[in-house]
Amino acid sequence: STSDLIDGIHPTANGYDKMAAAWYAALQSVPGSIGQPGGTPSPSPSPSASPSPSPSASPSSGGAGCSATYAIAGQWDGGFQATVTVTAGSSAISSWSVGWQFGNGQTVTQSWNTEISTGGAQVTARNVGYNGALGAGASTQFGFLGTWNGANGVPTLTCTAG
């Protein structure tokens, strides 16, 4: 609805959440897709026509029942897109949170499939209603756009399951 548009054209955070929920439900109905073992992930499109990709990844240092991997999906002057994959351990989980600290002045400007909170360089991402429950070994992804200056390093993640 128009209440989900920030300027009459572009979605608000709530509008993006609604779109993500619709796409997530549709993709879950495809065998072997997201959240189901056996699927092959597809690369995410970049928000820029010609970013300079920097495909580095960093697994989490551990946590109770889940792990997380960070990858820079695309990068351009002053901005970047990152994807984080959260994977349940050997037991099913009902919720997750991923934390990290940026070291080079990076900031999150927009996110999808997660609720992000920040305090200085510290970032915490928590599941939203439709992607918190994961079966043993199952994965979900969230992503965000951010800004950077200097170097756009890959942070070390911690994942905590509930």
Side-chain angles (χ1 to χ4, degrees):
S1 71
T2 56
S3 67
D4 293 316
L5 301 175
I6 198 163
D7 59 3
I9 298 171
H10 300 95
T12 62
N14 190 45
Y16 279 112
D17 285 346
K18 287 180 179 180
M19 288 189 296
W23 277 103
Y24 186 78
L27 290 171
Q28 275 195 311
S29 70
V30 178
S33 70
I34 60 173
Q36 300 173 5
T40 303
S42 300
S44 298
S46 173
S48 174
S50 57
S52 302
S54 179
S56 52
S58 172
S60 71
S61 59
C66 64
S67 62
T69 304
Y70 182 104
I72 297 173
Q75 183 171 289
W76 53 94
D77 285 341
F80 69 102
Q81 176 182 339
T83 302
V84 177
T85 302
V86 177
T87 305
S90 58
S91 300
I93 61 174
S94 60
S95 64
W96 51 263
S97 68
V98 177
W100 68 91
Q101 185 164 342
F102 281 132
N104 298 311
Q106 299 103 320
T107 60
V108 174
T109 58
Q110 181 179 357
S111 65
W112 51 93
N113 296 336
T114 189
E115 292 179 7
I116 288 190
S117 58
T118 59
Q122 184 64 40
V123 181
T124 302
R126 290 183 174 75
N127 66 272
V128 289
Y130 55 84
N131 67 354
L134 298 174
S139 297
T140 189
Q141 287 187 329
F142 68 90
F144 62 91
L145 298 178
T147 62
W148 63 283
N149 53 46
N152 189 21
V154 174
T156 301
L157 308 180
T158 58
C159 187
T160 305

